[in-house]
Amino acid sequence: MSASSNALLAEPWKALWNNDLTLTDKIIAPDFVAHAAPLTGSGDDTVHGREGLNGWVAGIHTILRDLSFEITVGPIATDDFLVVRWAAEGTYAGGFPGASQDAVGNRVRFTGTDTLLVKDGMLAEYWANADSLLFVQQLGVRELS
């Protein structure tokens, strides 16, 4: 695929993270793999397949009501990769390990950069880099176990 074709995947990728899971089958390769450090400090650092990605997206939308992502830099695209810098904001609904009960109802803002490998016009591999420290600080997390 060309860099310009790959750049066109940025908006549907953002929409997927804004909880439009109907896009998954259209833009995500069946053998998709995501690499991300777990926010809680434990657990697997990879997510596999379309269903795994949908579960990840749905899970974060459960913790952060009205979560919304916007692209702040990019898309930056080559013939093989798509990169976007994003900002996200939502209202904390509870359920994050170690978070303070006082944080429920607070607005949470954080940023990150997504690097995505494109194969045959679909997103095949994903390296997530989010500001996890800023995220957990806003939830009043003191120690993750």
Side-chain angles (χ1 to χ4, degrees):
M1 297 297 291
S2 70
S4 58
S5 295
N6 291 345
L8 295 175
L9 291 167
E11 284 301 317
W13 174 247
K14 178 188 77 171
L16 189 155
W17 278 97
N18 282 328
N19 216 20
D20 185 352
L21 302 181
T22 65
L23 294 169
T24 305
D25 290 346
K26 297 173 185 159
I27 65 166
I28 302 299
D31 59 348
F32 177 84
V33 177
H35 309 275
L39 281 175
T40 59
S42 63
D44 197 2
D45 64 352
T46 58
V47 171
H48 296 274
R50 292 171 171 165
E51 289 307 310
L53 178 60
N54 281 351
W56 184 11
V57 172
I60 196 161
H61 278 271
T62 299
I63 291 171
L64 295 171
R65 289 190 319 268
D66 64 16
L67 179 62
S68 177
F69 287 83
E70 73 172 283
I71 295 173
T72 59
V73 176
I76 301 165
T78 69
D79 290 349
D80 297 314
F81 289 95
L82 169 66
V83 178
V84 294
R85 175 82 176 154
W86 50 263
E89 183 175 350
T91 305
Y92 180 58
F96 190 84
S100 167
Q101 267 309 111
D102 295 339
V104 173
N106 288 351
R107 295 294 289 169
V108 176
R109 294 172 189 83
F110 57 106
T111 60
T113 302
D114 293 349
T115 304
L116 298 130
L117 176 66
V118 183
K119 283 188 181 175
D120 300 322
M122 300 192 101
L123 300 171
E125 197 162 1
Y126 168 39
W127 294 267
N129 185 350
D131 190 344
S132 303
L133 179 59
L134 177 61
F135 178 78
V136 297
Q137 285 174 332
Q138 292 174 81
L139 298 182
V141 175
R142 298 285 179 236
E143 183 178 322
L144 294 172
S145 52

